[in-house]
């Protein structure tokens, strides 16, 4: 660990610690990074001055307001969100209010929710908050993105998470995984039952840009309200519309440049 940290940016590594805990002391950071407390303190103070970290009770530090500002900039600047939001709301209207529409991107061998639209809150579909991550190997939301990875990427992820994959799925080998993902890619849609939230069906389709999958669109619906075939068609159609409109937006940006 120490050798790896020395070859990487220390400031970046401090921020990455917050994946594991919401608050850290300087002493804890120094231990994690294998540096002196004085070195860790200087790094932390640099982050505090830039509002990346904020001091709290107990001589600990949490993530600061700069991240909220960056999130706002991302939401205003991301063409995928601008295109997808109205179509996600329309997807719920076209299916059932007992559902949630979720937009995801791949993130460090996981998938991350970057936007959600909720139908009837009383349906208790589950919370898919912006920034929340889900395992890459469980649920339609993840599998539809996984299905469009290269074989080399699949092999790398499978070998890196083989024990986890076997524990949470019926896949006993890389071949089993590839066979199911081939079927998902052929169908253009993934369906899962209670893999993330009990009592819900997940239906997901890929979003493309220049023949690359850049995101996944999912409809999460209470099982008792799910009409699988029409809902599958609705998700595929919404993902296709997002892909088409995203290509138009990106093309316009390129033309202006």
């Amino acid at each position: 660990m120490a050798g790896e940290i020395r070859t990487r940016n220390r400031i970046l590594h401090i921020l990455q610690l917050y994946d594991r805990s919401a608050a850290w002391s300087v002493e804890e950071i120094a231990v994690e990074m294998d540096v002196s407390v004085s070195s860790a303190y200087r790094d932390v103070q640099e982050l505090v001055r830039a509002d990346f970290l904020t001091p709290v009770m107990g001589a600990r530090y949490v993530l600061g307001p700069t991240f909220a500002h960056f999130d706002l900039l991302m939401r205003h600047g991301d063409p995928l969100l601008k295109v997808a939001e109205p179509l996600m709301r329309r997807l719920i209207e076209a299916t059932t209010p007992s559902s949630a529409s979720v937009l995801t991107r791949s993130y460090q061998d996981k998938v991350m929710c970057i936007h959600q639209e909720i139908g009837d809150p009383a349906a208790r579909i589950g919370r898919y908050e912006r920034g929340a991550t889900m395992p890459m190997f469980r649920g339609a939301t993840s599998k539809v993105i996984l299905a469009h990875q290269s074989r080399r990427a699949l092999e790398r992820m499978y070998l890196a998470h083989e024990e986890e994959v076997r524990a949470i799925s019926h896949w006993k080998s890389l071949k089993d995984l590839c066979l199911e993902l081939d079927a998902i890619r052929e169908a253009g849609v993934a369906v899962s039952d209670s893999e993330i939230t009990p009592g819900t069906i997940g239906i997901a389709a890929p979003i493309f840009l220049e023949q690359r999958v850049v995101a996944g669109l999912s409809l999460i619906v209470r099982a008792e309200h799910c009409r699988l075939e029409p809902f599958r068609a609705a998700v595929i159609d919404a993902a296709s519309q997002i892909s088409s409109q995203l290509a138009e937006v990106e093309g316009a940006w390129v033309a202006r440049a």
Side-chain angles (χ1 to χ4, degrees), residues 95-165:
T95 53
T96 173
S98 297
S99 66
S101 181
V102 180
L103 188 67
T104 58
R105 278 184 165 141
S106 60
Y107 169 76
Q108 298 184 359
D109 286 359
K110 299 178 181 178
V111 294
M112 177 183 287
C113 173
I114 62 170
H115 187 66
Q116 66 165 340
E117 293 287 341
I118 299 293
D120 181 2
R124 298 182 180 179
I125 299 301
R127 293 186 62 82
Y128 295 84
E129 294 179 300
R130 178 176 169 87
T133 59
M134 291 164 277
M136 183 65 86
F137 298 95
R138 177 183 288 176
T141 301
S142 300
K143 291 176 183 176
V144 79
I145 293 178
L146 192 65
H148 291 82
Q149 302 295 311
S150 70
R151 288 304 169 98
R152 179 176 293 181
L154 283 176
E155 182 175 5
R156 178 192 62 77
M157 284 189 282
Y158 180 84
L159 293 176
H161 303 279
E162 187 170 3
E163 190 172 314
E164 172 194 349
V165 172

Side-chain angles (χ1 to χ4, degrees), residues 217-230:
L217 174 68
S218 302
L219 184 72
I220 316 299
V221 56
R222 298 298 305 178
E224 61 269 26
H225 297 287
C226 184
R227 295 186 295 129
L228 187 56
E229 290 309 315

